[in-house]
Amino acid sequence: MMPPASELVTSLRKTGLIPVFSHLEVDLLVRIVDLAYRCGVKVFEFTHLRDNRGLRLFQYLKEQMEQHHDLILGVGTVLDATMTERYLNVGAQFIASPFMRDDMAAMCNARHVPWMPGCSTLAEILQARELGAQIISVLPGNVLGAEFIAPITKEHKDILLIPSGGLDTTAANLKKWFEANALCVKLGTSLFPRETIAMRDYHRIESNILNTMKTIRQVKSSINTLNQIS
């Protein structure tokens, strides 16, 4: 059963992050997603691999994660409507793209599945909102910075923005994004460093996820406290 968009937003607001990962070794992929879930992650983005291998991997992953009924599993870096449809047919619960395409938006809207396009200007963000996007990725996040989204989220309360691309997990960096009212942050290699994955160091990966979630909770708590005082 497809969760409503409101459930996705609630989960993202609660945890403050979307892990992004993919791997051709299926057992490793399943273990990473399962590990993230057991750390408290309820939304996970599988990265499309640009060919049908990605589709087969995702379908297998979805089957293996069926016991985690509250896990919302979506697909990112989807580039066209054809692949969007294929992923929707095998159960993708959201579709993320690095850019906007009307046909992808229409397909997701027709299926009542959240579509998260990538935008780098205010004009693109407003256009994405007109096309039905409730959640929008801002990329490259490390280039645009939190100062880009702060005035947008202040003026457009209904627009939910997620920075993506090159983000680090230091408290100072995360604080800037959440002070700018980012819905959450999208994290890839900062959670899953290539050398750590290559060494199958699951203990370190678990520590990365747990420490990042702890930092996010502390940052958001401090911001809420300051807001209450002011």
Side-chain angles (χ1 to χ4, degrees), residues 5-18 43 116 134-138 149 153 158-163 177-186 216 220:
S6 59
E7 185 177 328
L8 174 60
V9 172
T10 298
S11 293
L12 294 177
R13 206 181 293 280
K14 183 177 180 179
T15 60
L17 83 160
I18 303 179
V43 180
M116 302 182 194
Q134 296 180 323
I135 304 171
I136 299 166
S137 294
V138 172
I149 75 165
T153 57
D158 63 327
I159 294 179
L160 303 174
L161 300 180
I162 300 176
W177 287 112
F178 288 108
E179 282 181 335
N181 293 313
L183 174 63
C184 66
V185 291
K186 189 177 287 192
I216 290 173
K220 294 180 72 174

Side-chain angles (χ1 to χ4, degrees), residues 1 3 49 64 68-69 112 168 171 189 214 227:
M1 182 178 179
L49 298 173
Q64 295 302 304
H68 301 323
H69 301 295
H112 304 288
D168 67 61
T189 54
K214 180 180 179 181
N227 289 339

Side-chain angles (χ1 to χ4, degrees), residues 126-203:
L126 296 178
Q127 182 183 353
R129 194 70 184 90
E130 287 296 317
L131 290 172
Q134 296 180 323
I135 304 171
I136 299 166
S137 294
V138 172
L139 51 87
N142 61 331
V143 175
L144 294 172
E147 59 273 15
F148 170 73
I149 75 165
I152 299 174
T153 57
K154 184 176 181 180
E155 183 172 349
H156 303 276
K157 306 289 187 184
D158 63 327
I159 294 179
L160 303 174
L161 300 180
I162 300 176
S164 173
L167 307 186
D168 67 61
T169 58
T170 62
N173 183 61
L174 292 171
K175 185 177 182 181
K176 291 178 182 178
W177 287 112
F178 288 108
E179 282 181 335
N181 293 313
L183 174 63
C184 66
V185 291
K186 189 177 287 192
L187 302 173
T189 54
S190 56
L191 286 182
F192 313 111
R194 290 183 178 86
E195 66 276 12
T196 307
I197 294 297
M199 295 174 62
R200 309 302 193 261
D201 190 345
Y202 298 111
H203 177 72

Side-chain angles (χ1 to χ4, degrees), residues 203-228:
H203 177 72
R204 182 180 172 190
I205 295 167
E206 180 180 21
S207 295
N208 285 346
I209 297 171
L210 290 174
N211 288 337
T212 299
M213 294 181 73
K214 180 180 179 181
T215 301
I216 290 173
R217 286 195 302 270
Q218 291 173 337
V219 164
K220 294 180 72 174
S221 177
S222 68
I223 293 171
N224 291 336
T225 299
L226 287 174
N227 289 339
Q228 290 172 1

